[in-house]
Amino acid sequence: RGTTHQDRASLPRTRISNAREYAMSRRAHGLALVALLALFVGSEARIRDEPVERDGRALIPIAMDYGFEEEGSIEISIQHPVHLFTVENAPEIDKTKLGFFITASKADTALEADIAKGGCLLDDLDHTLVLFTFADMAEHLNEEGDEYKFSYTIAPGKQGEYSLYYTNCVPNTAVSFKLEVELFNPKKGGGKDYLSAGEKPLPTLYLLAFFVYAGAGAVWALTLFNSTQHQPGSVHQIHLLMGVLVFFKCLTVLCQSGMYHLIRMKGDPEGWNVAFYIFYSIRGLLLFTVVVLIGTGWSFLKPFLNDREKQVLMIVIPTQVFANIAVVILDENGPALNGWLEWRDLFHLLDIICCCAILFPIVWSIKHLREAAMTDGKKIRNMNKLILFRQFYVMVVAYIYFTRIIVFLLRSTAAYDLTWLSNLAEETATLAFYVTTGWMFRPIVDNPYLHLNEDELELEDIEAIVEDGVEGKGA
């Protein structure tokens, strides 16, 4: 009984007429994108159903960057039959040229070189391990003839980080199949541990982070309560918003801990990922909003936002919403999804836009305070505020640089079983940022940044009126 069904008429020549050179070039570019972007965000489940529908891509990533320990395993199940589509009058499809292979995650450069030379990644190469081809499936179907199962165990001394790919070395063909993949490492007492080798400490790490953030939130709440009792007028709306941010950060890391624990036990987060998406989205919105509002001086320096500052918020908030949607799509669909890489690109582009946008209000405030510091009678106070704003600006830039670049470099260069260090570094940097920001802008009466000045409020009102008048006259 054959393993595939070949349909020559159902795929018009106009839809699949690329030359081999174009296919090879596309594969090379696709592989480069996968290698670069797979380090940022990954699909969470380790038992995944990956339906591929009428897909003509020459290279499809199935599972990316999984750290296998010794005796770790890959189990693949494909529903039979697999459907192949080609153009009319095409020769019989060579099924040995369609199949699955694994490669070390750091062998991307070698793969690119092979593709550029026009080779097939199912050939006998030093940096790829072919698991099986479509031709192999015919001899190993189950008794009912409707399923093919394959299992591979990592040999002693071969442990490391691997990626699983499907490749099609036959031009002008497309394929449809239903695939289930399990990736796991052995437990010491027997059984399956679905976490990657570099993820094993994450349930404990995020649980500890929850307790630390909960403690920080309790200290902040106590600080606000004491300030309300002993220093009336020192607590502003932004302080309450900062407390809400810490609260949702606590819920986010708690959900991450539960999610990774369930993945370890069952291979799937079983609903904890939904709670994580909700709290992660709210936390992201609050973080960027709080940084923008602090940068504008809202609620402590002035009870309003001017038009320019409102425009920044109108950019940051919708951008964060779209970024959160991209995260959900990435995590709920595996890398085999057509367009998955584009969603990754979109997520990181939106994140960079948000990171850049939140810096503008701080720069504007620094410029305003530098000019105000030259005014007689307010030099000392405005210079103190200017120094504080500069420190906050440097801190925000350092936080963005560390969490977006240093953490990425740490994750990409760490050993396969030490990638959790990047998560530890990111949470440590985030905690330091929260604590330092809270200390700098804590609710005390003699804090130079939080002290309201009626003359400055009047000056802001006058500037706003002048700006409106100039715009009206220009219109």
Side-chain angles (χ1 to χ4, degrees):
R1 185 171 181 176
T3 64
T4 59
H5 172 69
Q6 183 170 326
D7 188 344
R8 297 177 183 274
S10 59
L11 194 61
R13 183 180 299 272
T14 56
R15 292 185 57 193
I16 189 163
S17 58
N18 295 329
R20 175 177 289 271
E21 291 78 6
Y22 176 76
M24 293 300 177
S25 175
R26 186 177 61 178
R27 288 164 63 192
H29 286 93
L31 181 62
L33 282 172
V34 171
L36 176 63
L37 296 174
L39 296 164
F40 289 97
V41 178
S43 302
E44 298 299 344
R46 300 301 186 267
I47 302 177
R48 301 196 64 91
D49 293 320
E50 297 287 358
V52 175
E53 297 292 339
R54 212 178 180 90
D55 200 320
R57 286 180 290 170
L59 187 68
I60 301 178
I62 303 297
M64 303 301 300
D65 301 334
Y66 187 88
F68 287 99
E69 297 176 333
E70 188 173 309
E71 302 298 324
S73 297
I74 303 173
E75 293 185 357
I76 301 175
S77 173
I78 299 182
Q79 297 298 314
H80 181 79
V82 172
H83 297 277
L84 297 177
F85 306 92
T86 187
V87 296
E88 296 180 3
N89 302 320
E92 188 74 18
I93 294 177
D94 183 359
K95 296 171 185 174
T96 64
K97 297 298 183 180
L98 301 94
F100 295 83
F101 71 92
I102 60 172
T103 182
S105 296
K106 301 188 184 301
D108 304 309
T109 303
L111 290 180
E112 292 177 31
D114 290 330
I115 292 175
K117 294 176 182 177
C120 179
L121 296 177
L122 294 175
D123 294 337
D124 187 14
L125 303 174
D126 294 335
H127 42 271
T128 62
L129 176 62
V130 178
L131 301 181
F132 63 92
T133 67
F134 284 1
D136 300 325
M137 294 170 57
E139 303 174 1
H140 301 90
L141 293 174
N142 62 0
E143 293 182 358
E144 292 76 15
D146 61 356
E147 187 178 25
Y148 171 76
K149 291 186 176 182
F150 176 87
S151 179
Y152 177 78
T153 300
I154 302 298
K158 297 296 184 180
Q159 60 268 25
E161 193 173 63
Y162 291 90
S163 297
L164 172 65
Y165 291 93
Y166 160 80
T167 186
N168 177 2
C169 300
V170 182
N172 305 325
T173 61
V175 64
S176 293
F177 57 79
K178 293 182 179 179
L179 177 76
E180 183 181 277
V181 179
E182 287 191 30
L183 309 173
F184 59 88
N185 288 303
K187 287 184 178 179
K188 292 182 179 179
K192 299 177 180 179
D193 184 343
Y194 289 99
L195 286 181
S196 172
E199 296 173 336
K200 289 193 172 184
L202 292 185
T204 303
L205 171 63
Y206 284 119
L207 185 60
L208 292 176
F210 165 74
F211 288 118
V212 172
Y213 283 114
V219 171
W220 183 252
L222 182 62
T223 300
L224 297 185
F225 177 77
N226 290 335
S227 298
T228 302
Q229 297 296 316
H230 303 293
Q231 302 183 61
S234 61
V235 177
H236 300 279
Q237 292 176 327
I238 190 66
H239 293 125
L240 302 177
L241 201 58
M242 292 164 71
V244 174
L245 169 61
V246 177
F247 173 73
F248 278 100
K249 178 62 178 177
C250 288
L251 295 179
T252 300
V253 293
L254 178 62
C255 289
Q256 283 180 287
S257 177
M259 185 171 64
Y260 279 110
H261 173 71
L262 283 174
I263 292 174
R264 162 177 282 165
M265 304 300 295
K266 300 181 180 182
D268 189 270
E270 295 190 342
W272 278 79
N273 55 331
V274 177
F276 168 73
Y277 298 144
I278 295 172
F279 297 136
Y280 175 84
S281 300
I282 297 174
R283 193 273 307 171
L285 285 171
L286 285 172
L287 174 62
F288 285 100
T289 301
V290 166
V291 172
V292 169
L293 293 178
I294 291 177
T296 62
W298 175 78
S299 90
F300 354 93
L301 275 182
K302 55 188 181 183
F304 59 87
L305 297 174
N306 60 38
D307 291 339
R308 185 168 57 176
E309 293 161 350
K310 291 178 182 177
Q311 290 173 357
V312 173
L313 278 178
M314 292 304 295
I315 292 174
V316 169
I317 292 177
T319 302
Q320 268 296 296
V321 170
F322 284 116
N324 293 329
I325 293 174
V327 168
V328 174
I329 292 176
L330 287 171
D331 283 348
E332 287 303 300
N333 296 278
L337 175 69
N338 200 353
W340 193 76
L341 292 176
E342 286 74 11
W343 279 106
R344 274 192 166 182
D345 284 331
L346 177 62
F347 166 73
H348 294 295
L349 175 62
L350 296 177
D351 189 52
I352 291 172
I353 291 174
C354 285
C355 291
C356 294
I358 63 176
L359 296 177
F360 285 106
I362 309 175
V363 174
W364 295 335
S365 295
I366 290 175
K367 180 180 179 181
H368 174 75
L369 288 174
R370 185 184 294 115
E371 295 171 351
M374 304 306 295
T375 305
D376 292 337
K378 296 187 291 183
K379 285 185 178 181
I380 296 178
R381 178 178 298 164
N382 284 317
M383 283 302 297
N384 288 336
K385 294 177 183 178
L386 178 60
I387 293 172
L388 195 59
F389 260 109
R390 284 174 173 171
Q391 292 173 346
F392 183 59
Y393 175 80
V394 171
M395 186 172 66
V396 172
V397 172
Y399 174 71
I400 293 173
Y401 180 81
F402 187 88
T403 56
R404 269 63 180 179
I405 298 178
I406 301 300
V407 169
F408 160 72
L409 294 176
L410 181 60
R411 184 179 294 119
S412 60
T413 56
Y416 75 98
D417 56 344
L418 295 176
T419 55
W420 62 272
L421 290 175
S422 63
N423 302 82
L424 174 62
E426 184 173 8
E427 292 304 325
T428 302
T430 301
L431 178 64
F433 179 73
Y434 283 17
V435 170
T436 306
T437 302
W439 176 258
M440 290 174 65
F441 306 116
R442 62 195 184 280
I444 56 177
V445 173
D446 58 349
N447 190 322
Y449 180 68
L450 308 184
H451 185 75
L452 282 170
N453 186 307
E454 294 181 0
D455 294 337
E456 292 174 358
L457 287 177
E458 292 176 0
L459 179 60
E460 289 278 354
D461 290 332
I462 292 173
E463 289 178 350
I465 293 173
V466 171
E467 289 179 359
D468 292 340
V470 171
E471 291 177 359
K473 185 179 294 186

